[in-house]
Amino acid sequence: MKENHLKRLLREKKPCIGAWLSIPSPFSAERVAGLGFDWLVVDMEHNPISIETAAAMFMAINTSNYTAPMARIPWNNGEHIKRVLDAGAWGIVVPMVNSRAEAEEAVAAAMYPPKGYRSNGGGRYEVSFDASRAEYTSKANDEIVIVVQIEHIQAVERAEEILSVPGVDVGFIGPNDLMSSMGMIGKTDINDPKVVEAIDHVLKSAEKCGVAAGISLQNAQEVNARLGQGFRFLQLSSDMNMMMAALKGELSRVVKMKNRYRG
């Protein structure tokens, strides 16, 4: 059975760099997987990605020997967790986890008995991990990565109790929703003192609980800065954002396009 290298990196307290996949395409997922990311998350929360497409994207990511295929599920419930893990995901990102009970529910849904209640049925997880069904089911509890999103001020206030739940590997900060919950909806100033304080509290809580702190970022400069602060699970934007930024930048340099709509 393949080792989940991402789980090992987290256990060794080493930084892990990844990105969100927003485009529902195994073709683009395969190309991104060849770039050298430690992990890629198929974002099923905010994008029109079906379970069939997600499974194909996990297959495409599996063509790389160094990139873990993961999924951000639409919401924290057992059905979503079971389906993506059975489809071959090596880990899950669970949105809007605001209490210890919600973190415990996510872990239980991702774990086989006796640690949880994940159903022991068929799936393509065997192919994803290059294992027999018996081997996978005996080792999956130790190989699946569980990321809970700390993206509400209530979760920040309860960060330590959430991140101390056995089985949680990462507490991942979603700045946009966090700021919205703090009355800053639509704002982007992550350097606001209140936001800085909230982020620092989550980082310190993660360190105290022995898990990795993660955060969503937009560029390499931001990633390098957060690495220096001690974050260990860092998202370098998404395929869609990077594509749009590159196309917009190049289009703006085309003289014909710049002059087209001038009177």
Side-chain angles (χ1 to χ4, degrees), residues 76 81 92 94-111 146-150 158-168 170:
N76 183 12
I81 292 171
I92 54 171
V94 185
M96 203 62 72
V97 175
N98 294 335
S99 70
R100 181 179 180 87
E102 290 175 359
E104 289 173 338
E105 173 61 23
V107 171
M111 296 278 192
I146 301 175
V147 180
V148 296
Q149 287 204 245
I150 307 295
R158 302 166 183 162
E160 192 171 326
E161 61 183 85
I162 292 171
L163 300 180
S164 63
V165 170
V168 170
V170 180

Side-chain angles (χ1 to χ4, degrees), residues 214-254:
I215 190 167
S216 176
L217 303 162
Q218 297 303 312
N219 54 57
Q221 182 180 0
E222 291 182 2
V223 170
N224 289 332
R226 295 297 182 182
L227 279 169
Q229 293 175 352
F231 284 88
R232 294 193 284 114
F233 188 90
L234 303 103
Q235 175 204 345
L236 176 57
S237 194
S238 71
D239 53 357
M240 179 68 78
N241 286 345
M242 287 292 189
M243 179 184 73
M244 295 302 293
L247 288 173
K248 182 179 180 180
E250 291 304 308
L251 187 60
S252 70
R253 297 181 181 92
V254 177

Side-chain angles (χ1 to χ4, degrees), residues 57-123:
M57 292 172 74
F58 301 150
M59 293 180 201
I61 297 168
N62 267 138
T63 60
S64 163
N65 292 320
Y66 40 71
T67 305
M70 300 182 64
R72 178 159 72 166
I73 57 175
W75 200 247
N76 183 12
N77 68 48
E79 178 183 359
H80 293 313
I81 292 171
K82 175 178 63 177
R83 296 197 80 194
V84 297
L85 292 180
D86 284 355
W90 288 21
I92 54 171
V93 178
V94 185
M96 203 62 72
V97 175
N98 294 335
S99 70
R100 181 179 180 87
E102 290 175 359
E104 289 173 338
E105 173 61 23
V107 171
M111 296 278 192
Y112 288 122
K115 292 184 177 181
Y117 63 83
R118 181 181 172 190
S119 176
N120 187 356

Side-chain angles (χ1 to χ4, degrees), residues 166-192:
V168 170
D169 296 296
V170 180
F172 186 84
I173 299 168
N176 291 337
D177 280 326
L178 174 58
M179 293 175 69
S180 294
S181 75
M182 298 171 70
M184 304 178 192
I185 190 166
K187 296 183 179 180
T188 59
D189 185 11
I190 200 170
N191 295 313
D192 181 283

